Amino acid sequence: MKTTYSILTVVLSMMIFAGCQSLTEDPKGTLTPVTYFKTQSDLDASVTAMYIRLARDGGWGFTSKETSYFGSDDYTTDPGLNKQDMRDFDKLAGGSTNQSMVSQWQGPWETIYQANNVIANYDKVTSTAELKNASAGQAYFLRGLCYYYLVRTFGPVPVILGTIDVNDRPPRDEVDKVYAAVVSDLQMAKTLLGTQLEQGKPNKYAASSLLADVYLTMAGWPLNKVENYALAASEAKSVIDANVYNLNTPYDKVFSTNNSSESIFALQYNIGGGLPNRRFGSSNIPLDEVAVDGSSGWDDVYPEIAFFENAPKCTRTDLTFYTTLKLRQEDKTTFKLVPWSSAETHAQHPYYKKFRAGLNGDGVRETDTQLLSIQPSTNKATDIIRYPLVLLCYAEASAMASAPTADSYSAINLVRKRAGLPDLATGLSQTAFRDAVVYERAYEFAGEFGVRWFDIVRLQMLPKIIAARNPVENPIPTGTNISQKYIAPIPYTEMVRNPEWQQNPGY
């Protein structure tokens, strides 16, 4: 996981395996400067390779994909142990030499280069237009998705939309240019992708869903293009009106089954194929918890106390947080149940219940009174876009575009109903309604891949979050310039390879 790659290095070999896609290794999945795809099989191999570069451990397969998002209140980590990389960002003190953060850079860039190969060569393949367009549509979608995460995480980055020489050193492009590329890619994906639902692959609705989120983000910091609220609402409404997705899956089952009725786009994982998801299971389990078989938790990720205490009282909250720990006794088969705040616990924090089980228990196997086994690798798909994100995007964007409407209330109330909450009070001002949606999103997506952090960034909420922070949390150094902590530093190795670049302020 600590191997670093230049964004200008051509990926010469890769394993081809992912979820429901082919698990067969195929070296033709990667182009060289002197070859191009001949058949649809060649093209399919390269499309699958895009997902692998993104989903693996060096990309989005482990907690490291969220390292710089630990400044959020829904993420914290142990004050000691081997958690320094995450702890530094939790303290808003992360630096460019942070090794875990490299995954946030490396996975997206390797995927972008593979996508560029597909886009540059798909039309040369001997195949049907439908199949070629589907391949290209996936490439445009993933390239847009990766640039979206890169620009929100690191700010200005090079916009590279074609194959380049390994010796080239392109400059970092301004944020507005990166967003323009993201929007263009997702609009192209919409035209090329169909409406069919296929596990692990984006469709037209996924492109619209992501585009809605992009427009919503562009309406906030740093671009502050408030005219994009209307565009976000329009894209989200098109997905809602399609009536393809729903919230009929119980909240806890969303996190213990794959590709539920609300899953719009998810990365697929397969332990047997060598592609485990290590964001569920051990990573979320208290160090104090040891199973009958001797396996134990890693204590990597849990919520800050203030975030937990401010949660609404509802079924969703009960299913989200783990508040009673199981402490194995000397006989190794019986367990003592203690509250999270007990002095008998190591961290005295609540944990996340929804990330324990993995896929039907392949992370943690347990009963109400006993831990049977705790595993770090699961087959659980990672939902990048869930339908509630679309509903809440529509609610906020439609309200901010003019004023809260009946449809705005209807969208947020669908999410609240599944959570076990009453309808939102009517008559709220535009700002109060927006704040209610942001609050709802915080707990609907608690601990989920930066959703909360990106809201904090676009709405510049760090001072408010820090003011509410419990004093027992990892301390933020005195004199920290909070305004410079909304984006992460460019990894040190990339700065060395690109001497003309200027590091982000504050690093």
Side-chain angles (χ1 to χ4, degrees), residues 248-262 280 319 354 357-361 380-381 383 386 418:
N248 294 340
T249 304
Y251 189 75
D252 57 333
K253 299 302 181 186
V254 171
F255 303 97
S256 59
T257 58
N258 281 348
N259 308 303
S260 70
S261 62
E262 66 187 64
F280 286 72
L319 298 173
K354 68 183 189 179
L359 182 62
N360 297 317
K380 179 68 183 74
D383 284 306
R386 294 198 288 116
R418 201 265 297 270

Side-chain angles (χ1 to χ4, degrees), residues 109 147 157-162 170-174 177-179 181-182:
W109 273 117
Y147 268 122
V157 294
V159 175
I160 302 170
L161 304 180
R172 296 170 69 190
D173 287 298
E174 293 300 320
K177 183 175 178 180
V178 183
Y179 273 104
V182 172

Side-chain angles (χ1 to χ4, degrees), residues 148-310:
Y148 184 40
Y149 274 84
L150 285 171
V151 71
R152 288 186 297 172
T153 303
F154 299 104
V157 294
V159 175
I160 302 170
L161 304 180
T163 56
I164 64 172
D165 188 271
V166 295
N167 295 314
D168 286 349
R169 295 292 185 268
R172 296 170 69 190
D173 287 298
E174 293 300 320
V175 167
D176 59 349
K177 183 175 178 180
V178 183
Y179 273 104
V182 172
V183 169
S184 177
D185 274 357
L186 295 178
Q187 288 175 337
M188 181 62 74
K190 280 176 56 180
T191 67
L192 294 171
L193 294 171
T195 58
Q196 67 276 13
L197 304 181
E198 190 170 354
Q199 293 181 4
K201 294 182 179 180
N203 58 19
K204 178 181 178 180
Y205 305 125
S208 285
S209 299
L210 184 56
L211 192 53
D213 197 63
V214 170
Y215 282 136
L216 183 68
T217 299
M218 293 173 71
W221 185 89
L223 296 181
N224 298 312
K225 293 186 175 182
V226 295
E227 65 272 19
N228 282 10
Y229 280 125
L231 297 174
S234 177
E235 291 291 344
K237 190 66 159 58
S238 71
V239 178
I240 295 169
D241 289 346
N243 199 30
V244 173
Y245 307 98
N246 60 66
L247 302 186
N248 294 340
T249 304
Y251 189 75
D252 57 333
K253 299 302 181 186
V254 171
F255 303 97
S256 59
T257 58
N258 281 348
N259 308 303
S260 70
S261 62
E262 66 187 64
S263 179
I264 296 177
F265 176 69
L267 291 176
Q268 309 297 304
Y269 287 87
N270 187 308
I271 296 173
L275 191 68
N277 186 349
R278 301 199 302 136
R279 180 56 176 87
F280 286 72
S282 301
S283 190
N284 299 272
I285 311 305
L287 183 72
D288 313 84
E289 292 200 323
V290 180
V292 170
D293 68 356
S295 54
S296 60
W298 290 359
D299 223 50
D300 284 344
V301 186
Y302 42 90
E304 292 185 2
I305 292 173
F307 182 80
F308 164 72
E309 291 179 337
N310 289 332

Side-chain angles (χ1 to χ4, degrees), residues 376-412:
S377 298
T378 75
N379 293 299
K380 179 68 183 74
T382 292
D383 284 306
I384 305 299
I385 306 172
R386 294 198 288 116
Y387 187 48
L389 193 71
V390 177
L391 291 168
L392 295 176
C393 177
Y394 175 75
E396 179 181 350
S398 60
M400 295 303 291
S402 54
T405 66
D407 284 345
S408 306
Y409 276 96
S410 177
I412 188 174

Side-chain angles (χ1 to χ4, degrees), residues 299-474:
D299 223 50
D300 284 344
V301 186
Y302 42 90
E304 292 185 2
I305 292 173
F307 182 80
F308 164 72
E309 291 179 337
N310 289 332
K313 296 186 184 305
C314 61
T315 303
R316 182 182 61 201
T317 293
D318 294 339
L319 298 173
T320 295
F321 299 106
Y322 184 76
T323 58
T324 301
L325 280 63
K326 303 182 181 80
L327 305 183
R328 191 175 73 166
Q329 302 301 288
E330 288 186 8
D331 65 5
K332 299 184 179 180
T333 59
T334 60
F335 291 77
K336 180 180 182 181
L337 306 185
V338 302
W340 64 267
S341 56
S342 169
E344 294 184 64
T345 68
H346 170 72
Q348 296 179 28
H349 272 71
Y351 286 77
Y352 280 115
K353 181 187 293 185
K354 68 183 189 179
F355 302 130
R356 287 174 70 88
L359 182 62
N360 297 317
D362 65 1
V364 177
R365 291 194 304 117
E366 61 188 324
T367 68
D368 289 342
T369 59
Q370 193 177 44
L371 286 166
L372 304 176
S373 66
I374 302 170
Q375 299 298 324
S377 298
T378 75
N379 293 299
K380 179 68 183 74
T382 292
D383 284 306
I384 305 299
I385 306 172
R386 294 198 288 116
Y387 187 48
L389 193 71
V390 177
L391 291 168
L392 295 176
C393 177
Y394 175 75
E396 179 181 350
S398 60
M400 295 303 291
S402 54
T405 66
D407 284 345
S408 306
Y409 276 96
S410 177
I412 188 174
N413 286 336
L414 281 173
V415 179
R416 291 174 63 86
K417 180 179 180 180
R418 201 265 297 270
L421 290 165
D423 286 353
L424 188 66
T426 58
L428 295 177
S429 68
Q430 189 179 54
T431 301
F433 185 89
R434 180 203 66 190
D435 291 346
V437 175
V438 172
Y439 174 82
E440 197 68 38
R441 186 158 43 230
Y443 291 99
E444 174 67 29
F445 294 95
E448 294 183 48
F449 198 10
V451 174
R452 173 64 169 168
W453 172 247
F454 291 132
D455 276 352
I456 290 171
V457 172
R458 70 183 176 88
L459 298 174
Q460 299 285 273
M461 293 168 57
L462 266 180
K464 177 181 177 181
I465 298 302
I466 292 170
R469 189 182 177 102
N470 191 296
V472 305
E473 308 295 354
N474 294 315

